[in-house]
Short mmCIF file of all heavy atoms in Angstrom, two decimals:
data_model
loop_
_atom_site.label_atom_id
_atom_site.label_comp_id
_atom_site.label_asym_id
_atom_site.label_seq_id
_atom_site.Cartn_x
_atom_site.Cartn_y
_atom_site.Cartn_z
N ILE A 9 114.25 78.46 306.09
CA ILE A 9 114.24 77.13 305.58
C ILE A 9 115.28 76.97 304.51
O ILE A 9 115.40 77.72 303.57
CB ILE A 9 112.86 76.80 304.88
CG1 ILE A 9 111.69 77.10 305.82
CG2 ILE A 9 112.75 75.30 304.50
CD1 ILE A 9 110.33 77.06 305.13
N GLY A 10 116.18 75.94 304.72
CA GLY A 10 117.24 75.69 303.78
C GLY A 10 116.72 75.24 302.43
O GLY A 10 115.61 74.85 302.27
N VAL A 11 117.57 75.29 301.42
CA VAL A 11 117.28 74.93 300.08
C VAL A 11 118.46 74.20 299.44
O VAL A 11 119.59 74.31 299.87
CB VAL A 11 116.90 76.16 299.20
CG1 VAL A 11 115.68 76.84 299.67
CG2 VAL A 11 118.02 77.15 299.14
N GLY A 12 118.18 73.40 298.39
CA GLY A 12 119.22 72.81 297.60
C GLY A 12 120.11 71.86 298.35
O GLY A 12 121.23 71.58 297.91
N GLY A 13 119.66 71.25 299.47
CA GLY A 13 120.52 70.31 300.20
C GLY A 13 121.52 71.00 301.09
O GLY A 13 122.31 70.27 301.69
N ASN A 14 121.51 72.31 301.13
CA ASN A 14 122.45 73.02 301.97
C ASN A 14 122.15 72.80 303.44
O ASN A 14 120.96 72.80 303.88
CB ASN A 14 122.43 74.49 301.69
CG ASN A 14 123.02 74.83 300.29
OD1 ASN A 14 123.92 74.15 299.84
ND2 ASN A 14 122.47 75.84 299.64
N PHE A 15 123.18 72.69 304.28
CA PHE A 15 123.01 72.44 305.69
C PHE A 15 122.54 73.66 306.43
O PHE A 15 121.74 73.58 307.34
CB PHE A 15 124.32 71.96 306.28
CG PHE A 15 124.36 71.89 307.78
CD1 PHE A 15 123.52 71.00 308.48
CD2 PHE A 15 125.18 72.77 308.48
CE1 PHE A 15 123.62 71.02 309.84
CE2 PHE A 15 125.21 72.77 309.86
CZ PHE A 15 124.46 71.86 310.58
N ILE A 16 123.01 74.84 306.00
CA ILE A 16 122.69 76.02 306.76
C ILE A 16 121.40 76.66 306.37
O ILE A 16 121.19 76.77 305.15
CB ILE A 16 123.86 77.09 306.69
CG1 ILE A 16 125.13 76.53 307.23
CG2 ILE A 16 123.58 78.38 307.38
CD1 ILE A 16 126.38 77.36 306.93
N SER A 17 120.59 77.10 307.31
CA SER A 17 119.37 77.91 306.98
C SER A 17 119.57 79.28 307.55
O SER A 17 119.51 79.47 308.76
CB SER A 17 118.13 77.18 307.52
OG SER A 17 118.13 77.31 308.96
N ALA A 18 119.84 80.18 306.70
CA ALA A 18 120.11 81.59 307.11
C ALA A 18 119.83 82.51 305.89
O ALA A 18 120.12 82.14 304.73
CB ALA A 18 121.48 81.82 307.69
N ALA A 19 119.23 83.62 306.14
CA ALA A 19 118.93 84.50 305.02
C ALA A 19 120.22 84.88 304.24
O ALA A 19 120.19 85.04 303.02
CB ALA A 19 118.26 85.77 305.57
N ALA A 20 121.31 85.04 304.98
CA ALA A 20 122.59 85.46 304.34
C ALA A 20 123.16 84.36 303.39
O ALA A 20 123.97 84.70 302.53
CB ALA A 20 123.63 85.78 305.38
N THR A 21 122.73 83.12 303.54
CA THR A 21 123.28 82.05 302.71
C THR A 21 122.33 81.57 301.67
O THR A 21 122.51 80.57 301.01
CB THR A 21 123.65 80.84 303.59
OG1 THR A 21 122.42 80.39 304.33
CG2 THR A 21 124.69 81.26 304.69
N GLY A 22 121.19 82.31 301.48
CA GLY A 22 120.28 81.97 300.39
C GLY A 22 119.12 81.11 300.74
O GLY A 22 118.39 80.63 299.86
N SER A 23 118.81 80.91 302.01
CA SER A 23 117.63 80.15 302.41
C SER A 23 116.41 80.90 302.11
O SER A 23 116.43 82.14 301.84
CB SER A 23 117.72 79.87 303.93
OG SER A 23 118.89 79.08 304.23
N ILE A 24 115.26 80.29 302.19
CA ILE A 24 113.98 80.92 302.05
C ILE A 24 113.52 81.42 303.41
O ILE A 24 113.67 80.74 304.43
CB ILE A 24 112.90 79.91 301.49
CG1 ILE A 24 113.26 79.52 300.09
CG2 ILE A 24 111.51 80.42 301.63
CD1 ILE A 24 112.37 78.40 299.52
N VAL A 25 113.09 82.66 303.44
CA VAL A 25 112.50 83.21 304.64
C VAL A 25 111.08 83.70 304.39
O VAL A 25 110.72 84.03 303.32
CB VAL A 25 113.36 84.48 305.13
CG1 VAL A 25 114.78 84.13 305.52
CG2 VAL A 25 113.40 85.62 304.00
N ALA A 26 110.25 83.58 305.40
CA ALA A 26 108.84 83.91 305.29
C ALA A 26 108.37 84.39 306.64
O ALA A 26 108.73 83.82 307.67
CB ALA A 26 108.03 82.71 304.77
N GLY A 27 107.50 85.35 306.56
CA GLY A 27 106.97 85.94 307.85
C GLY A 27 105.93 85.11 308.52
O GLY A 27 105.05 84.48 307.92
N ILE A 28 105.98 85.13 309.88
CA ILE A 28 105.12 84.38 310.71
C ILE A 28 104.15 85.36 311.44
O ILE A 28 104.63 86.37 311.96
CB ILE A 28 105.87 83.50 311.79
CG1 ILE A 28 106.86 82.62 311.11
CG2 ILE A 28 104.87 82.73 312.64
CD1 ILE A 28 107.86 81.98 312.06
N ASN A 29 102.91 85.04 311.45
CA ASN A 29 102.00 85.89 312.27
C ASN A 29 102.24 85.62 313.73
O ASN A 29 102.21 84.54 314.25
CB ASN A 29 100.48 85.40 311.92
CG ASN A 29 99.52 86.27 312.63
OD1 ASN A 29 99.34 86.23 313.87
ND2 ASN A 29 98.78 87.04 311.85
N ALA A 30 102.61 86.74 314.40
CA ALA A 30 103.08 86.64 315.75
C ALA A 30 101.97 86.08 316.71
O ALA A 30 102.23 85.60 317.77
CB ALA A 30 103.57 87.97 316.25
N GLY A 31 100.71 86.30 316.34
CA GLY A 31 99.63 85.89 317.15
C GLY A 31 99.24 84.44 317.02
O GLY A 31 98.85 83.76 317.98
N THR A 32 99.34 83.89 315.76
CA THR A 32 98.89 82.54 315.50
C THR A 32 99.98 81.57 315.26
O THR A 32 99.77 80.34 315.39
CB THR A 32 97.98 82.59 314.24
OG1 THR A 32 98.76 82.95 313.09
CG2 THR A 32 96.83 83.56 314.40
N GLY A 33 101.19 81.98 314.94
CA GLY A 33 102.26 81.07 314.63
C GLY A 33 102.12 80.44 313.22
O GLY A 33 102.81 79.45 312.90
N VAL A 34 101.32 81.04 312.34
CA VAL A 34 101.15 80.53 311.02
C VAL A 34 101.86 81.46 310.05
O VAL A 34 101.78 82.65 310.13
CB VAL A 34 99.60 80.47 310.59
CG1 VAL A 34 99.45 80.06 309.16
CG2 VAL A 34 98.89 79.53 311.57
N VAL A 35 102.60 80.86 309.12
CA VAL A 35 103.29 81.65 308.08
C VAL A 35 102.23 82.33 307.20
O VAL A 35 101.38 81.74 306.71
CB VAL A 35 104.26 80.69 307.21
CG1 VAL A 35 104.83 81.56 306.11
CG2 VAL A 35 105.28 80.14 308.12
N GLU A 36 102.44 83.66 307.11
CA GLU A 36 101.41 84.50 306.54
C GLU A 36 101.90 85.22 305.23
O GLU A 36 101.14 85.94 304.62
CB GLU A 36 100.93 85.65 307.43
CG GLU A 36 102.05 86.57 307.95
CD GLU A 36 101.49 87.59 308.94
OE1 GLU A 36 100.20 87.63 309.21
OE2 GLU A 36 102.26 88.39 309.40
N THR A 37 103.10 84.91 304.82
CA THR A 37 103.66 85.55 303.60
C THR A 37 104.18 84.42 302.60
O THR A 37 104.41 83.33 303.03
CB THR A 37 104.80 86.54 303.88
OG1 THR A 37 106.02 85.82 304.18
CG2 THR A 37 104.44 87.42 304.98
N THR A 38 104.43 84.88 301.43
CA THR A 38 105.13 83.93 300.52
C THR A 38 106.62 83.87 300.95
O THR A 38 107.04 84.58 301.84
CB THR A 38 105.02 84.51 299.06
OG1 THR A 38 105.49 83.51 298.17
CG2 THR A 38 105.73 85.79 298.88
N GLY A 39 107.33 82.99 300.30
CA GLY A 39 108.78 82.85 300.60
C GLY A 39 109.64 83.86 299.84
O GLY A 39 109.26 84.23 298.71
N PHE A 40 110.77 84.31 300.43
CA PHE A 40 111.70 85.19 299.72
C PHE A 40 113.13 84.57 299.91
O PHE A 40 113.41 83.97 300.93
CB PHE A 40 111.72 86.59 300.44
CG PHE A 40 110.38 87.31 300.23
CD1 PHE A 40 109.26 87.14 300.99
CD2 PHE A 40 110.31 88.33 299.21
CE1 PHE A 40 108.07 87.79 300.87
CE2 PHE A 40 109.11 89.05 299.09
CZ PHE A 40 108.05 88.82 299.85
N ASP A 41 113.93 84.82 298.90
CA ASP A 41 115.37 84.51 298.97
C ASP A 41 116.09 85.78 299.21
O ASP A 41 115.55 86.89 299.27
CB ASP A 41 115.82 83.68 297.78
CG ASP A 41 115.87 84.49 296.51
OD1 ASP A 41 115.75 85.70 296.50
OD2 ASP A 41 115.96 83.80 295.49
N LYS A 42 117.43 85.71 299.32
CA LYS A 42 118.22 86.85 299.68
C LYS A 42 118.27 87.89 298.58
O LYS A 42 118.71 89.06 298.80
CB LYS A 42 119.63 86.42 300.04
CG LYS A 42 120.46 85.82 298.91
CD LYS A 42 121.83 85.38 299.33
CE LYS A 42 122.61 84.68 298.21
NZ LYS A 42 123.94 84.34 298.70
N LEU A 43 117.88 87.50 297.37
CA LEU A 43 117.80 88.48 296.23
C LEU A 43 116.48 89.19 296.15
O LEU A 43 116.30 90.05 295.34
CB LEU A 43 118.12 87.75 294.91
CG LEU A 43 119.44 87.06 294.85
CD1 LEU A 43 119.54 86.28 293.53
CD2 LEU A 43 120.53 88.08 294.91
N GLY A 44 115.59 88.82 297.02
CA GLY A 44 114.23 89.45 296.96
C GLY A 44 113.24 88.69 296.10
O GLY A 44 112.11 89.16 295.86
N LYS A 45 113.68 87.62 295.48
CA LYS A 45 112.79 86.85 294.59
C LYS A 45 111.81 86.03 295.47
O LYS A 45 112.18 85.55 296.49
CB LYS A 45 113.60 85.93 293.75
CG LYS A 45 114.47 86.63 292.71
CD LYS A 45 115.22 85.65 291.82
CE LYS A 45 114.28 84.94 290.95
NZ LYS A 45 115.02 83.96 290.03
N THR A 46 110.59 85.99 295.05
CA THR A 46 109.53 85.24 295.77
C THR A 46 109.28 83.91 295.27
O THR A 46 109.53 83.51 294.11
CB THR A 46 108.20 86.06 295.70
OG1 THR A 46 107.75 86.15 294.30
CG2 THR A 46 108.39 87.48 296.22
N THR A 47 108.80 82.98 296.15
CA THR A 47 108.41 81.71 295.77
C THR A 47 107.22 81.24 296.62
O THR A 47 107.16 81.50 297.84
CB THR A 47 109.54 80.69 295.92
OG1 THR A 47 109.12 79.42 295.54
CG2 THR A 47 110.07 80.62 297.33
N ASP A 48 106.22 80.69 296.01
CA ASP A 48 105.05 80.18 296.76
C ASP A 48 105.32 78.79 297.31
O ASP A 48 104.68 78.41 298.34
CB ASP A 48 103.80 80.14 295.87
CG ASP A 48 103.38 81.62 295.53
OD1 ASP A 48 103.52 82.51 296.35
OD2 ASP A 48 102.97 81.73 294.35
N VAL A 49 106.12 78.03 296.59
CA VAL A 49 106.35 76.62 296.95
C VAL A 49 107.84 76.33 297.14
O VAL A 49 108.65 76.86 296.40
CB VAL A 49 105.73 75.68 295.84
CG1 VAL A 49 106.01 74.23 296.18
CG2 VAL A 49 104.27 75.94 295.68
N HIS A 50 108.20 75.55 298.13
CA HIS A 50 109.60 75.23 298.30
C HIS A 50 110.10 74.45 297.06
O HIS A 50 109.50 73.43 296.75
CB HIS A 50 109.83 74.42 299.64
CG HIS A 50 111.25 74.28 300.02
ND1 HIS A 50 112.14 73.43 299.41
CD2 HIS A 50 111.92 74.89 301.06
CE1 HIS A 50 113.31 73.56 299.96
NE2 HIS A 50 113.21 74.43 300.97
N PRO A 51 111.24 74.84 296.53
CA PRO A 51 111.67 74.21 295.27
C PRO A 51 112.13 72.69 295.44
O PRO A 51 112.16 72.01 294.47
CB PRO A 51 112.93 75.04 294.91
CG PRO A 51 113.39 75.70 296.15
CD PRO A 51 112.14 75.92 296.93
N ASP A 52 112.41 72.30 296.69
CA ASP A 52 112.89 70.96 296.90
C ASP A 52 111.77 70.04 297.47
O ASP A 52 111.59 68.86 296.98
CB ASP A 52 114.11 70.91 297.80
CG ASP A 52 115.23 71.81 297.23
OD1 ASP A 52 115.60 71.65 296.11
OD2 ASP A 52 115.71 72.70 298.01
N THR A 53 111.17 70.47 298.57
CA THR A 53 110.22 69.67 299.26
C THR A 53 108.79 69.92 298.81
O THR A 53 107.86 69.16 299.20
CB THR A 53 110.35 69.84 300.74
OG1 THR A 53 110.24 71.20 301.10
CG2 THR A 53 111.71 69.36 301.26
N HIS A 54 108.54 70.98 298.04
CA HIS A 54 107.27 71.32 297.41
C HIS A 54 106.21 71.66 298.43
O HIS A 54 104.98 71.56 298.12
CB HIS A 54 106.83 70.15 296.56
CG HIS A 54 107.86 69.72 295.54
ND1 HIS A 54 108.39 70.51 294.55
CD2 HIS A 54 108.54 68.53 295.41
CE1 HIS A 54 109.31 69.87 293.87
NE2 HIS A 54 109.45 68.70 294.42
N PHE A 55 106.58 72.07 299.67
CA PHE A 55 105.59 72.58 300.57
C PHE A 55 105.16 73.95 300.14
O PHE A 55 105.93 74.77 299.68
CB PHE A 55 106.21 72.68 301.99
CG PHE A 55 106.22 71.39 302.78
CD1 PHE A 55 107.25 70.55 302.80
CD2 PHE A 55 105.09 71.08 303.48
CE1 PHE A 55 107.29 69.39 303.50
CE2 PHE A 55 105.03 69.93 304.22
CZ PHE A 55 106.13 69.06 304.26
#
């Protein structure tokens, strides 16, 4: 998921990544950025 209005969503460019349960399709982890910092809520859209 992109952040900060950036067009690209990719781990290499600082987007938020979060693991999906392969069986259910539900995100099952908190979010991480490329530095390894965690976030529970998207900083822009507050999901």
Side-chain angles (χ1 to χ4, degrees):
I9 308 170
V11 294
N14 292 326
F15 169 66
I16 299 172
S17 68
T21 60
S23 298
I24 292 173
V25 296
I28 303 169
N29 184 292
T32 65
V34 176
V35 174
E36 61 180 358
T37 74
T38 190
F40 292 81
D41 67 15
K42 65 181 178 181
L43 299 175
K45 295 181 67 177
T46 63
T47 179
D48 294 323
V49 177
H50 193 285
D52 305 308
T53 56
H54 309 298
F55 276 95

